[in-house]
Amino acid sequence: NAGVTQTPKFRILKIGQSMTLQCTQDMNHNYMYWYRQDPGMGLKLIYYSVGAGITDKGEVPNGYNVSRSTTEDFPLRLELAAPSQTSVYFCASRRTGFYNEQFFGPGTRLTVL
Amino acid sequence: AQTVTQSQPEMSVQEAETVTLSCTYDTSESDYYLFWYKQPPSRQMILVIRQEAYKQQNATENRFSVNFQKAAKSFSLKISDSQLGDAAMYFCSIIQGAQKLVFGQGTRLTINP
């Protein structure tokens, strides 16, 4: 199993540009998540999904959109990038049940200039 | 809403010694899980240990153990026989309800040879 994969690893955007961060998991997990990690801080939840076709907002959803058309894929869309969106973005997935750990992707470092 | 507080931004320990990382949390729920995740310089998030709120017995995973004090809402991580590979950011987290993980701000652990 590849686990959770994210592309790209690094990206520089100009203010006002848009992009999609890709996330794929091959573990057949129902739950998928997008987090952002600002320097020296913990992870903050942007959006999450409990299954294909179902998404919900997390703590910091403004400026982002998601979709979940398949179990495997959970892309994160940034519209009109702003410097405040400079961060490291992590995708994660887990099986249903509190006890089950989240498996994280390697992260995408995004810089908005 | 749940909150997680890690009051030690940085800790250091001599190799082979024992170190304890602190974590307190706030929740109104009676059933939840607590986790410690490790983030080495590679950025990859790795599960270290987990604890169910209903279990009185403290969780142990090899050199890692927790001191779970439910009444005090405290969940500290003890690392015994510290190794150079333990150097990382450590995040305390809680999950409940809608399957959303809430993270603390992290503690950076340095191992001195």
Side-chain angles (χ1 to χ4, degrees), chain B residues 70-105:
Chain B
K70 190 172 183 179
K73 295 183 178 176
S74 171
F75 182 59
S76 60
L77 174 69
K78 186 172 83 170
I79 306 174
S80 303
D81 186 25
S82 298
Q83 300 175 0
L84 294 177
D86 295 333
M89 284 288 289
Y90 286 81
F91 293 99
C92 178
S93 58
I94 184 172
I95 189 167
Q96 63 180 62
Q99 307 271 329
K100 295 184 287 186
L101 209 58
V102 175
F103 289 85
Q105 291 189 318

Side-chain angles (χ1 to χ4, degrees), chain A residues 3-4 25 27 29 31-33 91-95 101-104:
Chain A
V4 180
Q25 54 92 9
M27 297 172 282
H29 288 168
Y31 289 82
M32 294 189 74
Y33 306 82
C91 180
S93 72
R94 66 198 299 271
R95 283 186 291 136
E101 70 179 279
Q102 288 198 352
F103 291 85
F104 287 82

Side-chain angles (χ1 to χ4, degrees), chain A residues 33 37 94 99 102 104, chain B residues 33 37 39 44 50 99:
Chain A
Y33 306 82
Q37 183 180 28
R94 66 198 299 271
Y99 188 76
Q102 288 198 352
F104 287 82
Chain B
Y33 275 85
Y37 281 86
Q39 187 180 41
Q44 183 69 50
R50 57 189 144 193
Q99 307 271 329

Side-chain angles (χ1 to χ4, degrees), chain B residues 14 16 24 36 45 50 52-54 65 68 77-79 82 90 92 102 104 108:
Chain B
Q14 291 296 124
T24 58
W36 277 97
M45 295 285 284
R50 57 189 144 193
E52 183 179 5
Y54 268 119
S65 61
F68 174 50
L77 174 69
K78 186 172 83 170
I79 306 174
S82 298
Y90 286 81
C92 178
V102 175
R108 182 177 302 280

Side-chain angles (χ1 to χ4, degrees), chain A residues 62-78:
Chain A
N62 291 343
Y64 307 94
N65 277 300
V66 294
S67 60
R68 182 99 180 269
S69 57
T70 67
T71 298
E72 295 78 20
D73 300 308
F74 190 42
L76 177 71
R77 178 80 177 165
L78 278 72

Side-chain angles (χ1 to χ4, degrees), chain B residues 8 11 13 16-23 35-36 48-51 58-68 74-83 86 90 92 109 111:
Chain B
Q8 306 153 316
M11 293 281 286
V13 64
E17 297 292 310
T18 295
V19 63
T20 299
L21 309 184
S22 301
C23 173
F35 301 81
W36 277 97
V48 175
I49 199 165
R50 57 189 144 193
Q51 173 82 40
N58 290 325
T60 300
E61 290 284 346
N62 299 315
R63 297 182 296 106
F64 299 87
S65 61
V66 299
N67 183 3
F68 174 50
S74 171
F75 182 59
S76 60
L77 174 69
K78 186 172 83 170
I79 306 174
S80 303
D81 186 25
S82 298
Q83 300 175 0
D86 295 333
Y90 286 81
C92 178
L109 178 64
I111 312 294

Side-chain angles (χ1 to χ4, degrees), chain A residues 37-97:
Chain A
Q37 183 180 28
D38 297 331
M41 303 293 285
L43 279 69
K44 292 188 177 180
L45 183 64
I46 304 171
Y47 271 96
Y48 69 102
S49 169
V50 301
I54 306 170
T55 62
D56 205 349
K57 295 178 181 179
E59 185 182 359
V60 289
N62 291 343
Y64 307 94
N65 277 300
V66 294
S67 60
R68 182 99 180 269
S69 57
T70 67
T71 298
E72 295 78 20
D73 300 308
F74 190 42
L76 177 71
R77 178 80 177 165
L78 278 72
E79 304 282 0
L80 298 175
S84 61
Q85 293 178 305
T86 294
S87 191
V88 178
Y89 292 83
F90 289 95
C91 180
S93 72
R94 66 198 299 271
R95 283 186 291 136
T96 305

